[in-house]
Amino acid sequence: MRTDDRMLVSIVVPCYNEEAVLAELHGRLISMLEGVETVSFEIIYTDDGSRDRTPEILRGLQAADNRVRVVSLSRNFGHQVAVTAGLEHTSGDAVVIIDADLQDPPEVIPEMIARWQDGYQVVYGLRAKREGETTFKLWTAKAFYRLINRVSEVEIPIDVGDFRLIDRRVVDVLLAMPERDRFLRGMISWVGFKQVAVIYDRAARHAGETKYSLIKMLRFAVDSVISFSFAPLRLAIWVGFAAIAAAVVGIVYALVIRFYTTTWVRGWASIFTAVLFLGGIQLITLGIVGEYVGRIYAEVKLRPLYVVGERLGFDEPKQTPDASTEVE
Ligand code: UDP
Ligand code: MG
């Protein structure tokens, strides 16, 4: 929806139970965006099935300002899918993805826009400092980045979240990637194009608490490793080889005992341990293969990635038959 001939920048904000921060976030976004004279903007809030007052607040923001649009998902689909739903509803020449909790300061966006106007297609926010995060979170985040870069085929920048600006061309490629395990950071690295970092200090959450429980974080880590590498499958093969090597040693030992000693009947213990050991390895391997097979199953079902409950502020209902389904 263009109101003038300036470039349009869309801001995508995934929101899950963010009633405590929305007013502050919106105020800061608007005052920052109005200061950038070279572009016009729209803000797309995705309500990811919030159970607090988030939907009402978003409705109010939308009613007060026609540059605001709201996509409400029919239930909680998770952060990465909420961002994808937002992306699908943008019409800007560039899109900025930002968390609702003000950990990603909106004041960095003008710099991102400037770099984009310099000709970069991806401008990602690089966290110089992370305030207000527990040591546990910092430590797990570090381990996660180390692991993912070790095993995955594409280089994923360290200390970079989803806070970034991406050009329309990149958005279109992302939306054409139909995979269900969406690890946007990895996907954006995979897309390529000219990418550059903008450094900022990651603030503490403005209010409310993290929506990523330990379980969600683990699931996110597993998703990103499995959808970006075959390393776990390879690991299974290596563990298998190691087991065979151990078994060969065991066999030689058994034969020596059998032919050169008189106490060989007592060997049941070694058989018992070998059976257990190999059984364990086979189960692990099956489990790893099962993870991939399960994902193939989820992909071939071709279910929509998310279901939209309601759209506010869009001219006509958006037609996205292959990725979302309208439920009225
Ligand atoms: N979020 C979401 N759906 C979820 C979990 C989180 O849309 O199921 C949103 C949340 O509202 C926030 C962003 O994703 O805007 C990042 O979440 P959070 O700040 O809780 O994660 P953290 O910064 O602790 O990793
Ligand atoms: Mg946060």
mmCIF file of all heavy atoms in Angstrom, residues 18 99-104 130 133 137 202-206 209-212, ligand 2:
data_model
loop_
_atom_site.group_PDB
_atom_site.id
_atom_site.type_symbol
_atom_site.label_atom_id
_atom_site.label_comp_id
_atom_site.label_asym_id
_atom_site.label_seq_id
_atom_site.Cartn_x
_atom_site.Cartn_y
_atom_site.Cartn_z
ATOM 1 N N GLU A 18 2.698 -10.000 25.164
ATOM 2 C CA GLU A 18 3.586 -8.846 25.345
ATOM 3 C C GLU A 18 2.833 -7.604 25.797
ATOM 4 O O GLU A 18 3.244 -6.489 25.499
ATOM 5 C CB GLU A 18 4.355 -8.552 24.049
ATOM 6 C CG GLU A 18 5.269 -9.663 23.567
ATOM 7 C CD GLU A 18 6.533 -9.839 24.411
ATOM 8 O OE1 GLU A 18 6.661 -9.168 25.453
ATOM 9 O OE2 GLU A 18 7.379 -10.670 24.036
ATOM 10 N N ASP A 99 12.161 -7.950 17.767
ATOM 11 C CA ASP A 99 11.406 -8.527 18.882
ATOM 12 C C ASP A 99 10.558 -7.448 19.550
ATOM 13 O O ASP A 99 10.924 -6.283 19.554
ATOM 14 C CB ASP A 99 12.357 -9.104 19.940
ATOM 15 C CG ASP A 99 12.908 -10.457 19.531
ATOM 16 O OD1 ASP A 99 12.482 -10.976 18.482
ATOM 17 O OD2 ASP A 99 13.768 -10.983 20.262
ATOM 18 N N ALA A 100 9.473 -7.879 20.166
ATOM 19 C CA ALA A 100 8.575 -6.915 20.804
ATOM 20 C C ALA A 100 9.133 -6.372 22.111
ATOM 21 O O ALA A 100 8.744 -5.306 22.566
ATOM 22 C CB ALA A 100 7.231 -7.578 21.066
ATOM 23 N N ASP A 101 10.074 -7.093 22.739
ATOM 24 C CA ASP A 101 10.426 -6.768 24.119
ATOM 25 C C ASP A 101 11.461 -5.661 24.289
ATOM 26 O O ASP A 101 11.952 -5.427 25.386
ATOM 27 C CB ASP A 101 10.906 -8.022 24.839
ATOM 28 C CG ASP A 101 12.123 -8.633 24.160
ATOM 29 O OD1 ASP A 101 12.627 -8.015 23.208
ATOM 30 O OD2 ASP A 101 12.547 -9.714 24.566
ATOM 31 N N LEU A 102 11.791 -4.965 23.190
ATOM 32 C CA LEU A 102 12.740 -3.845 23.215
ATOM 33 C C LEU A 102 14.159 -4.275 23.557
ATOM 34 O O LEU A 102 14.992 -3.450 23.918
ATOM 35 C CB LEU A 102 12.270 -2.740 24.182
ATOM 36 C CG LEU A 102 11.053 -1.967 23.656
ATOM 37 C CD1 LEU A 102 10.418 -1.140 24.755
ATOM 38 C CD2 LEU A 102 11.451 -1.069 22.505
ATOM 39 N N GLN A 103 14.442 -5.571 23.450
ATOM 40 C CA GLN A 103 15.834 -6.001 23.603
ATOM 41 C C GLN A 103 16.617 -5.583 22.367
ATOM 42 O O GLN A 103 17.817 -5.384 22.429
ATOM 43 C CB GLN A 103 15.899 -7.518 23.761
ATOM 44 C CG GLN A 103 15.615 -7.963 25.172
ATOM 45 C CD GLN A 103 15.966 -9.415 25.360
ATOM 46 O OE1 GLN A 103 15.313 -10.289 24.803
ATOM 47 N NE2 GLN A 103 16.982 -9.678 26.132
ATOM 48 N N ASP A 104 15.903 -5.510 21.253
ATOM 49 C CA ASP A 104 16.504 -4.988 20.035
ATOM 50 C C ASP A 104 16.072 -3.530 19.953
ATOM 51 O O ASP A 104 14.916 -3.240 19.706
ATOM 52 C CB ASP A 104 15.961 -5.718 18.805
ATOM 53 C CG ASP A 104 16.062 -7.226 18.936
ATOM 54 O OD1 ASP A 104 17.005 -7.691 19.579
ATOM 55 O OD2 ASP A 104 15.190 -7.912 18.381
ATOM 56 N N ARG A 130 25.117 -8.102 26.011
ATOM 57 C CA ARG A 130 23.772 -8.588 26.291
ATOM 58 C C ARG A 130 23.486 -8.338 27.748
ATOM 59 O O ARG A 130 24.033 -8.987 28.614
ATOM 60 C CB ARG A 130 23.655 -10.078 25.988
ATOM 61 C CG ARG A 130 23.853 -10.373 24.534
ATOM 62 C CD ARG A 130 23.757 -11.853 24.269
ATOM 63 N NE ARG A 130 22.386 -12.316 24.274
ATOM 64 C CZ ARG A 130 22.023 -13.475 23.728
ATOM 65 N NH1 ARG A 130 22.903 -14.261 23.174
ATOM 66 N NH2 ARG A 130 20.773 -13.847 23.755
ATOM 67 N N GLU A 133 20.549 -10.727 30.964
ATOM 68 C CA GLU A 133 20.338 -12.121 30.625
ATOM 69 C C GLU A 133 21.064 -12.949 31.678
ATOM 70 O O GLU A 133 22.126 -12.584 32.150
ATOM 71 C CB GLU A 133 20.906 -12.444 29.244
ATOM 72 C CG GLU A 133 20.437 -11.497 28.161
ATOM 73 C CD GLU A 133 19.461 -12.127 27.199
ATOM 74 O OE1 GLU A 133 18.593 -12.910 27.661
ATOM 75 O OE2 GLU A 133 19.564 -11.840 25.996
ATOM 76 N N LYS A 137 21.604 -18.418 30.233
ATOM 77 C CA LYS A 137 21.167 -18.106 28.875
ATOM 78 C C LYS A 137 22.370 -17.745 27.999
ATOM 79 O O LYS A 137 22.487 -18.182 26.853
ATOM 80 C CB LYS A 137 20.161 -16.961 28.904
ATOM 81 C CG LYS A 137 19.770 -16.465 27.543
ATOM 82 C CD LYS A 137 18.313 -16.696 27.254
ATOM 83 C CE LYS A 137 18.038 -16.440 25.778
ATOM 84 N NZ LYS A 137 16.675 -16.675 25.429
ATOM 85 N N ARG A 202 22.673 -5.102 23.218
ATOM 86 C CA ARG A 202 21.372 -5.707 23.472
ATOM 87 C C ARG A 202 20.937 -5.359 24.879
ATOM 88 O O ARG A 202 21.609 -5.673 25.847
ATOM 89 C CB ARG A 202 21.453 -7.219 23.308
ATOM 90 C CG ARG A 202 20.095 -7.893 23.352
ATOM 91 C CD ARG A 202 20.208 -9.250 22.697
ATOM 92 N NE ARG A 202 19.039 -10.084 22.894
ATOM 93 C CZ ARG A 202 17.998 -10.119 22.092
ATOM 94 N NH1 ARG A 202 17.961 -9.311 21.063
ATOM 95 N NH2 ARG A 202 17.004 -10.938 22.319
ATOM 96 N N ALA A 203 19.815 -4.692 24.959
ATOM 97 C CA ALA A 203 19.318 -4.242 26.258
ATOM 98 C C ALA A 203 18.645 -5.399 26.982
ATOM 99 O O ALA A 203 18.436 -6.459 26.419
ATOM 100 C CB ALA A 203 18.312 -3.121 26.037
ATOM 101 N N ALA A 204 18.312 -5.155 28.232
ATOM 102 C CA ALA A 204 17.516 -6.143 28.960
ATOM 103 C C ALA A 204 16.078 -6.039 28.470
ATOM 104 O O ALA A 204 15.673 -5.027 27.903
ATOM 105 C CB ALA A 204 17.581 -5.859 30.448
ATOM 106 N N ARG A 205 15.314 -7.081 28.677
ATOM 107 C CA ARG A 205 13.906 -7.061 28.324
ATOM 108 C C ARG A 205 13.240 -5.883 29.012
ATOM 109 O O ARG A 205 13.455 -5.662 30.191
ATOM 110 C CB ARG A 205 13.302 -8.365 28.823
ATOM 111 C CG ARG A 205 12.154 -8.827 28.031
ATOM 112 C CD ARG A 205 11.772 -10.231 28.483
ATOM 113 N NE ARG A 205 11.237 -10.977 27.349
ATOM 114 C CZ ARG A 205 10.077 -10.684 26.786
ATOM 115 N NH1 ARG A 205 9.345 -9.700 27.239
ATOM 116 N NH2 ARG A 205 9.665 -11.374 25.743
ATOM 117 N N HIS A 206 12.427 -5.112 28.281
ATOM 118 C CA HIS A 206 11.818 -3.928 28.876
ATOM 119 C C HIS A 206 10.860 -4.313 29.995
ATOM 120 O O HIS A 206 10.844 -3.720 31.056
ATOM 121 C CB HIS A 206 11.076 -3.138 27.797
ATOM 122 C CG HIS A 206 10.398 -1.926 28.318
ATOM 123 N ND1 HIS A 206 11.097 -0.849 28.813
ATOM 124 C CD2 HIS A 206 9.092 -1.628 28.473
ATOM 125 C CE1 HIS A 206 10.239 0.063 29.226
ATOM 126 N NE2 HIS A 206 9.018 -0.381 29.035
ATOM 127 N N GLU A 209 8.447 -11.389 30.862
ATOM 128 C CA GLU A 209 9.569 -12.313 30.948
ATOM 129 C C GLU A 209 9.739 -13.097 29.661
ATOM 130 O O GLU A 209 8.873 -13.049 28.789
ATOM 131 C CB GLU A 209 9.391 -13.244 32.139
ATOM 132 C CG GLU A 209 8.053 -13.935 32.140
ATOM 133 C CD GLU A 209 7.808 -14.618 33.471
ATOM 134 O OE1 GLU A 209 8.213 -14.049 34.508
ATOM 135 O OE2 GLU A 209 7.241 -15.710 33.459
ATOM 136 N N THR A 210 10.875 -13.777 29.556
ATOM 137 C CA THR A 210 11.177 -14.462 28.306
ATOM 138 C C THR A 210 10.098 -15.468 27.960
ATOM 139 O O THR A 210 9.563 -16.145 28.837
ATOM 140 C CB THR A 210 12.557 -15.139 28.364
ATOM 141 O OG1 THR A 210 12.745 -15.872 27.155
ATOM 142 C CG2 THR A 210 12.682 -16.088 29.540
ATOM 143 N N LYS A 211 9.786 -15.559 26.661
ATOM 144 C CA LYS A 211 8.761 -16.496 26.211
ATOM 145 C C LYS A 211 9.420 -17.786 25.721
ATOM 146 O O LYS A 211 8.764 -18.674 25.224
ATOM 147 C CB LYS A 211 7.929 -15.867 25.093
ATOM 148 C CG LYS A 211 7.345 -14.501 25.436
ATOM 149 C CD LYS A 211 6.386 -14.588 26.619
ATOM 150 C CE LYS A 211 5.752 -13.252 26.968
ATOM 151 N NZ LYS A 211 6.706 -12.252 27.457
ATOM 152 N N TYR A 212 10.751 -17.821 25.824
ATOM 153 C CA TYR A 212 11.461 -19.028 25.448
ATOM 154 C C TYR A 212 11.776 -19.833 26.697
ATOM 155 O O TYR A 212 12.729 -19.546 27.411
ATOM 156 C CB TYR A 212 12.769 -18.685 24.728
ATOM 157 C CG TYR A 212 12.631 -18.671 23.230
ATOM 158 C CD1 TYR A 212 12.488 -17.487 22.530
ATOM 159 C CD2 TYR A 212 12.616 -19.866 22.512
ATOM 160 C CE1 TYR A 212 12.350 -17.476 21.153
ATOM 161 C CE2 TYR A 212 12.478 -19.864 21.139
ATOM 162 C CZ TYR A 212 12.345 -18.666 20.466
ATOM 163 O OH TYR A 212 12.212 -18.670 19.114
HETATM 164 MG MG MG B 2 13.709 -11.204 24.350
#
